Amino acid sequence: MADTSQKSDHIADDNGASGLPENAFRELAADEQYHPVMHPAHDYPEVTPYSVIMGLVLAVIFSAAAAYLGLRVGQVFEAAIPIAIIAVGLSGALNKKNAIGQNVIIQSIGACSGVIVAGAIFTLPALYILQAKYPDITVNFMEIFLSSLFGGILGILFFIPFRKYFVKDMHGKYPFPEATATTQVLVSGEGSKSSNGSQAKTLVIASLIGGIYDYLLATFGWWAENVTSTASQWGTALAEKTKLVFSVNTGAALLGLGYIVGLKYAFVIFAGSIFVWWIIIPLIGAYGAPAIASLQPEAIFSDYARLIGIGGIAMAGVIGIIKSSSIIAQAIGLAGRELKGKQQSAKQVRWQTDISMKHIVYMIAVALIAVLAFFYIGVINTFWQTLIAWLVVTVIAFLFTTVAANAIAIVGSNPVSGMTLMTLIIASAIFVGIGLNGTSGIVASMVIGGVVCTALSMAGGFVTDLKIGYWIGSTPKKQETWKFLGTLVSAATVGGVILVLNKVYGFSGPDALVAPQANAMAKVIEPLMMGGDTPWILYMVGAILALILNWLGVPALAFCLGMFIPLHLNTPMLVGGAIAYFVSNRSADADVNNARRDRGTLIASGFIAGGALFGVFAALTRFAGFEYDNPLSMGTTQILGCIMYLLIIAYLIWDSMRAKTLR
């Protein structure tokens, strides 16, 4: 990374560096403070009828769209960036003044859609999938709705005490890729200054280039989406003999994500990936049982090696919880002091004001009582089994809140499916031990898994919203308060959409919904509840590996995320991180390096924003029935994939290097 001790308030170029303050993305010096876009001493329009109504409308639209696309075509998209783009466009079309505070609220409410959808469709459709085999399994709207609602509420309430730590105390220490891209979009729509206008122009151009590039790639496939060694004869022979595979996704959005993550974390993530793909999989392929050794590398990864990553993520989460114990203790201590009336009532500045801890504690108590009642009345019906299930949910959801937030802050990707899978395994083992098994155990586990999955998904998404608000200068209390309404609306929408989709398409048959994550959950939960083997050894290996990594000083969560995420998605992270390092270290002038780094961040944010928005268009194109029969051979598309990927890399480097400093 570039030297962060330099202050470059005068940095600019004809197209602008970052529209945010110069120190928005770096660590602060001992005597330095961050001043957000919206002045802390002033009040700005944030919660208005316009911002709330638009936020709710977009929450409904994107909840329905995300649930539909996620289940129908297996494509889950992040809603935060497209919603931010729409909010900026609407405020511009309506000629609203000082709209940035309102746009933050629109984005924060609307973004409930993506996180609630992820929590719901990763788990609850597994009940429909297993219902085909076990007809006595029942699913209803209230189970889906309340599971999503309570999970979302717990995720909000459990994260608020940690807001200050993640978004303020750790300023500049985490890359926050998605929050960075979304903030750049929101800031680009503000102001009439020439610098802001040129920044917006740079962002729009990058968004169009990245978005159109990814749309053509996904819709027509003229060049390979994944360039892989197995596309060649020598690569296929190598994979058959040694199980060695190399692959890289050629999309612009992932390249931009890697740039923002930076070389440090990207390298650790990639190291975890090649540890699985170039060491573990070849070892299993060479010395495993014949039935395993005969599998393709991708099958060995999904059925065996990836499970080591899940165990590692779980242990890395435990390590993170232990390391965060002082932060957790501080939050609990603050709540205790407020409840006793001993907390100092010092006036806080607007942009650092949260819902009071006293109110948070009361709301957590009410929410947990409601969850207990829901489990007892609607799911389990035996009080002592209900109580154990409730304790499992409470402890795991609270403790893993910080893990989900950490993952989003580092790589912009929440390993919620991996953590939920581990939760299901642990919970199912406990339930079987107390006699809750069979089909009733399946229903209990999946509904409870839905609560935990949604809570962790919400915590990860909410840290993005609050980091955006911190950079811009919004009032956290307002974001936190109105997040509950967005959660309610999104949960109701998702519940209705899942029921309708099941009636129209179903989860079995020739036109069945894809639901890849829910199918994976069903595959894991059935043998646990109906009798079968669980790969505890693989989970234990991952857990031991995480302990060793932590002992060696390697970021265990980032490494294990690399083990869990496929290789072709991790390789672009390293490429993007390497580009970020290259453009920010070429000059002897630190100001020029900083300008180039900031311009590259703006372009990378455009790639992510364009990829997210045009990804929705690509999915809708597929749904509309458009089918394109690509006449090109695999070899040709692979070569074109390499060429196009090199071109988009060259563009990112060239445009970033255009930045200069004003003299």
Side-chain angles (χ1 to χ4, degrees):
M1 293 180 66
D3 181 7
T4 58
S5 64
Q6 298 291 330
K7 294 185 179 182
S8 310
D9 294 332
H10 63 287
I11 290 177
D13 67 302
D14 56 341
N15 290 302
S18 173
L20 291 158
E22 179 273 331
N23 58 3
F25 302 127
R26 63 169 175 81
E27 294 186 42
L28 304 177
D31 58 345
E32 189 180 6
Q33 290 185 341
Y34 173 73
H35 299 288
V37 175
M38 297 180 353
H39 197 286
H42 300 160
D43 287 326
Y44 297 83
E46 295 180 72
V47 178
T48 64
Y50 164 75
S51 64
V52 172
I53 292 171
M54 284 308 307
L56 292 175
V57 169
L58 292 174
V60 171
I61 293 171
F62 276 86
S63 293
Y68 180 84
L69 295 173
L71 292 172
R72 183 74 180 119
V73 300
Q75 183 171 336
V76 181
F77 61 87
E78 295 293 342
I81 295 174
I83 288 172
I85 293 172
I86 292 171
V88 169
L90 283 174
S91 63
L94 298 173
N95 199 27
K96 285 190 170 291
K97 303 298 182 184
N98 295 321
I100 191 167
Q102 296 178 78
N103 288 342
V104 170
I105 294 297
I106 292 172
Q107 181 275 325
S108 189
I109 293 175
C112 290
S113 56
V115 294
I116 295 295
V117 165
I121 70 172
F122 282 12
T123 53
L124 298 172
L127 292 173
Y128 288 114
I129 294 167
L130 293 172
Q131 192 178 50
K133 189 173 182 180
Y134 306 103
D136 54 329
I137 292 178
T138 58
V139 196
N140 57 60
F141 171 80
M142 290 306 294
E143 284 179 343
I144 301 172
F145 168 63
L146 291 178
S147 176
S148 301
L149 176 64
F150 288 140
I153 289 173
L154 289 178
I156 296 170
L157 294 173
F158 284 160
F159 180 74
I160 290 175
F162 302 105
R163 182 201 67 84
K164 182 176 178 291
Y165 170 76
F166 277 101
V167 307
K168 184 175 183 293
D169 296 348
M170 299 300 288
H171 179 90
K173 296 180 181 179
Y174 291 137
F176 282 100
E178 187 182 357
T180 298
T182 309
T183 304
Q184 296 282 21
V185 169
L186 293 170
V187 171
S188 72
E190 282 303 298
S192 58
K193 296 179 181 178
S194 60
S195 61
N196 277 0
S198 57
Q199 290 163 28
K201 180 181 177 182
T202 301
L203 185 68
V204 168
I205 291 173
S207 297
L208 288 173
I209 290 173
I212 294 172
Y213 176 99
D214 281 358
Y215 178 81
L216 294 175
L217 176 61
T219 306
F220 298 99
W222 289 326
W223 62 94
E225 184 175 9
N226 295 312
V227 172
T228 175
S229 59
T230 56
S232 62
Q233 289 185 350
W234 66 265
T236 301
L238 184 67
E240 289 177 354
K241 292 180 180 179
T242 67
K243 307 299 181 184
L244 276 173
V245 174
F246 175 79
S247 59
V248 57
N249 182 282
T250 59
L254 283 174
L255 182 67
L257 186 67
Y259 183 101
I260 295 175
V261 167
L263 185 59
K264 175 187 173 182
Y265 281 115
F267 181 80
V268 175
I269 294 164
F270 183 72
S273 199
I274 62 173
F275 177 73
V276 163
W277 284 92
W278 296 355
I279 297 177
I280 298 296
I281 292 177
L283 281 175
I284 292 177
Y287 298 104
I292 300 175
S294 63
L295 297 174
Q296 294 297 315
E298 293 77 12
I300 296 176
F301 171 72
S302 60
D303 293 344
Y304 299 95
R306 194 180 196 184
L307 303 183
I308 299 174
I310 292 175
I313 290 172
M315 180 54 71
V318 173
I319 293 169
I321 291 164
I322 294 171
K323 288 184 175 180
S324 304
S325 58
S326 61
I327 307 300
I328 296 172
Q330 288 176 18
I332 295 173
L334 176 60
R337 290 192 297 274
E338 283 204 8
L339 287 173
K340 293 177 182 177
K342 296 181 180 180
Q343 180 65 18
Q344 296 293 326
S345 58
K347 181 176 175 57
Q348 288 184 306
V349 293
R350 174 190 57 76
W351 75 304
Q352 290 301 321
T353 304
D354 296 289
I355 297 175
S356 74
M357 282 300 298
K358 182 182 292 186
H359 291 154
I360 291 296
V361 171
Y362 289 150
M363 287 189 284
I364 288 175
V366 172
L368 289 177
I369 291 171
V371 170
L372 181 64
F374 166 53
F375 286 174
Y376 181 58
I377 297 172
V379 183
I380 298 177
N381 305 125
T382 303
F383 183 75
W384 71 278
Q385 291 178 334
T386 300
L387 188 61
I388 292 173
W390 176 81
L391 287 172
V392 169
V393 167
T394 303
V395 171
I396 293 179
F398 176 71
L399 293 180
F400 275 87
T401 289
T402 56
V403 181
N406 230 346
I408 286 288
I410 293 173
V411 298
S413 177
N414 193 346
V416 64
S417 58
M419 289 191 290
T420 303
L421 196 58
M422 184 57 66
T423 299
L424 285 175
I425 292 166
I426 294 171
S428 298
I430 295 172
F431 294 163
V432 170
I434 62 174
L436 185 60
N437 53 16
T439 55
S440 60
I442 288 175
V443 173
S445 295
M446 295 314 306
V447 172
I448 288 165
V451 173
V452 172
C453 188
T454 309
L456 299 181
S457 181
M458 175 59 77
F462 201 24
V463 70
T464 294
D465 295 340
L466 292 172
K467 186 62 181 181
I468 293 166
Y470 175 81
W471 273 326
I472 290 176
S474 300
T475 309
K477 183 176 181 179
K478 294 178 180 178
Q479 286 183 278
E480 293 158 3
T481 301
W482 291 93
K483 196 74 173 175
F484 292 107
L485 183 58
T487 298
L488 173 66
V489 170
S490 296
T493 304
V494 169
V497 170
I498 289 177
L499 287 179
V500 170
L501 290 177
N502 178 61
K503 289 182 179 179
V504 175
Y505 298 104
F507 288 89
S508 60
D511 198 33
L513 297 163
V514 177
Q517 296 88 355
N519 271 285
M521 300 292 176
K523 182 179 178 181
V524 169
I525 201 70
E526 183 183 4
L528 285 167
M529 284 297 173
M530 308 306 290
D533 295 327
T534 303
W536 293 111
I537 296 297
L538 296 176
Y539 299 136
M540 288 175 59
V541 169
I544 293 170
L545 176 62
L547 288 171
I548 295 172
L549 290 169
N550 180 69
W551 179 54
L552 294 174
V554 178
L557 181 59
F559 190 94
C560 294
L561 279 171
M563 297 174 65
F564 177 73
I565 301 170
L567 176 64
H568 67 272
L569 300 180
N570 287 326
T571 307
M573 302 281 279
L574 182 65
V575 175
I579 293 172
Y581 180 83
F582 175 80
V583 301
S584 60
N585 285 277
R586 293 298 297 166
S587 175
D589 187 336
D591 290 346
V592 173
N593 284 333
N594 288 338
R596 290 171 174 173
R597 177 201 64 209
D598 289 344
R599 182 175 176 81
T601 299
L602 199 62
I603 297 165
S605 298
F607 282 0
I608 297 171
L613 187 61
F614 280 79
V616 178
F617 297 157
L620 290 174
T621 302
R622 288 173 58 192
F623 167 65
F626 178 81
E627 294 290 342
Y628 178 76
D629 187 13
N630 189 350
L632 301 176
S633 66
M634 178 184 290
T636 303
T637 58
Q638 288 283 311
I639 293 171
L640 290 175
C642 293
I643 294 171
M644 294 300 294
Y645 196 49
L646 289 174
L647 287 175
I648 199 75
I649 289 171
Y651 169 75
L652 177 56
I653 295 173
W654 169 77
D655 207 355
S656 300
M657 297 289 282
R658 293 172 60 202
K660 299 179 179 65
T661 59
L662 290 179
R663 295 294 184 186

